[in-house]
Amino acid sequence: EVQLVESGGGLVQPGGSLRLSCAASGFTFSRYYMTWVRQAPGKGLEWVASIYAGGGSTAYADSVKGRFTISEDSAKNAVYLQMESLKPEDTAMYYCAADLQPPYRNGFPRTNDYRYWGQGTQVTVSS
């Protein structure tokens, strides 16, 4: 059974930090692109960052570049999202997703057609 289990969300003040984790099981982790996607209240899905678990290449949305860092630990079948300098507009449900295909299609990031999804972890940035 495939599982993606996110953790690490919570309430943080603007300028603060959080580290999200995603524990993967049930598939060959190193063959997959691992992606974080978020959904803010009342808005659609937004691609945040991706990493190729087999080689570590990364990509980031412009909105988080320089503030967020995606990483993976193949020994633990886990992917992480270190979030720094958080802003109120980072408030969203954050989902971990996995797919054999790259996170870009025709030059645009994919948002909703990943093969596997976690249940999400809520991040709220507020004073």
Side-chain angles (χ1 to χ4, degrees), residues 24 29-31 52-56 71-80:
F29 184 76
S30 62
R31 294 179 59 196
Y52 179 55
S71 62
E72 55 87 16
D73 185 339
S74 295
K76 297 181 178 179
N77 282 7
V79 63
Y80 308 98

Side-chain angles (χ1 to χ4, degrees), residues 69-91:
T69 303
I70 189 170
S71 62
E72 55 87 16
D73 185 339
S74 295
K76 297 181 178 179
N77 282 7
V79 63
Y80 308 98
L81 188 67
Q82 180 68 42
M83 305 186 294
E84 308 283 351
S85 303
L86 282 161
K87 306 175 181 180
E89 52 263 43
D90 294 316
T91 295

Side-chain angles (χ1 to χ4, degrees), residues 85-106:
S85 303
L86 282 161
K87 306 175 181 180
E89 52 263 43
D90 294 316
T91 295
M93 183 70 79
Y94 283 71
Y95 297 94
C96 175
D99 204 293
L100 289 167
Q101 299 301 314
Y104 272 73
R105 180 181 294 123
N106 298 323

Side-chain angles (χ1 to χ4, degrees), residues 105-116:
R105 180 181 294 123
N106 298 323
F108 295 94
R110 299 161 56 199
T111 57
N112 62 356
D113 65 341
Y114 293 96
R115 184 171 187 178
Y116 302 126

